[in-house]
Amino acid sequence: MNWQDFWSPIRISLQVALLSSVIVLILGVAAAWWMSKRKFKGKTVLETALMLPLVLPPTVIGFLLLMMLGRKSWVGRAVEWLFHAPVIFSWWAAVIAAVVVSFPLVYQTMKNGFASVDPEIEHAGRSSGANEWQVFRNITLPLTYHSLGTAFILGFARGLGEFGATLMIAGNIPGKTQTIPTAIYVAVDAGNTPMAWAWTAAIIGISFLMLLLTGRRNPAEETRAAIKSK
């Protein structure tokens, strides 16, 4: 077994999953908080659209991203003009694919987290003179600490396992965009079963550890600790 060939997809997958989970956590928290505080016509339609990547086939998501970010689109041309390189078939394309497919999980987790916060506690903070940002930072976020951790881990795990959309817009370039799922696909197609098993064991082990961390979190204890810290 060539260890350099073995570790390269793992390294790329971990880098993509880490960055995408940070980005999607920020986007998911912002979207969930904004949606939880507002009522407007068409909210259900918008929320349904935000959840679509959860049920759409990854190849459909990849095709849509390809049309949106390709060289024939104004977005793709703008990115290429700005950075002097196309986004398609780049490392950043893998990050974008991971962000899109993991967004619904993060959004739904944070939406449930914000819904669990007692509005009276937030109202008490406003009555004490705190503005909305201070209420969000000092009251709402600490009370959703468990949801934040769970959302990050789920986003990381989902980004780590992304295959279809990544293959369509990032390709399978060894050392550049080849992640564990795409490497497994190529290894199986080439009849390299030992390498496929090794990568499968690696991604199962990483995913198991991430989900184990989620299961070990105690929301009641973390909420009490967050309140005491304030």
Side-chain angles (χ1 to χ4, degrees):
M1 179 185 293
N2 188 321
W3 287 105
Q4 183 176 357
D5 292 341
F6 171 73
W7 284 112
S8 179
I10 296 177
R11 173 183 57 79
I12 293 173
S13 290
L14 290 175
Q15 290 173 342
V16 168
L18 182 60
L19 180 57
S20 65
S21 59
V22 171
I23 294 173
V24 79
L25 182 65
I26 295 172
L27 296 176
V29 168
W33 184 68
W34 190 84
M35 293 288 283
S36 68
K37 299 299 180 182
R38 287 166 175 77
K39 294 181 180 180
F40 55 90
K41 188 176 181 180
K43 180 179 178 179
T44 302
V45 176
L46 176 58
E47 193 163 43
T48 302
L50 293 177
M51 297 298 294
L52 268 180
L54 187 64
V55 296
L56 286 176
T59 50
V60 173
I61 298 173
F63 172 74
L64 293 174
L65 289 174
L66 191 62
M67 294 298 101
M68 292 172 58
L69 302 174
R71 287 185 165 182
K72 293 184 179 180
S73 71
W74 70 268
V75 176
R77 290 195 298 267
V79 171
E80 187 170 356
W81 175 82
L82 186 62
F83 296 102
H84 306 290
V87 65
I88 298 299
F89 301 121
S90 69
W91 183 83
W92 282 101
V95 174
I96 292 171
V99 167
V100 172
V101 298
S102 60
F103 177 84
L105 287 175
V106 175
Y107 171 78
Q108 189 62 40
T109 301
M110 291 311 305
K111 177 186 172 184
N112 294 336
F114 290 139
S116 67
V117 177
D118 188 350
E120 293 299 324
I121 300 178
E122 295 177 315
H123 182 67
R126 296 186 188 97
S127 300
S128 300
N131 57 37
E132 287 300 320
W133 167 244
Q134 290 172 326
V135 170
F136 175 73
R137 183 186 62 188
N138 298 320
I139 298 176
T140 308
L141 274 185
L143 292 177
T144 57
Y145 183 72
H146 173 72
S147 296
L148 278 169
T150 301
F152 177 82
I153 292 174
L154 289 177
F156 183 94
R158 182 64 186 88
L160 184 71
E162 166 50 31
F163 172 72
T166 301
L167 187 62
M168 290 198 69
I169 70 169
N172 182 47
I173 307 172
K176 184 178 180 182
T177 65
Q178 186 180 63
T179 59
I180 300 176
T182 57
I184 293 173
Y185 176 81
V186 172
V188 172
D189 187 58
N192 192 349
T193 305
M195 190 69 88
W197 269 117
W199 280 321
T200 299
I203 197 169
I204 289 175
I206 296 170
S207 300
F208 181 84
L209 289 175
M210 298 303 294
L211 292 177
L212 185 64
L213 287 175
T214 303
R216 288 175 63 87
R217 301 176 72 87
N218 188 321
E221 291 182 1
E222 289 177 348
T223 299
R224 286 195 294 268
I227 294 175
K228 288 180 180 179
S229 69
K230 298 297 178 182

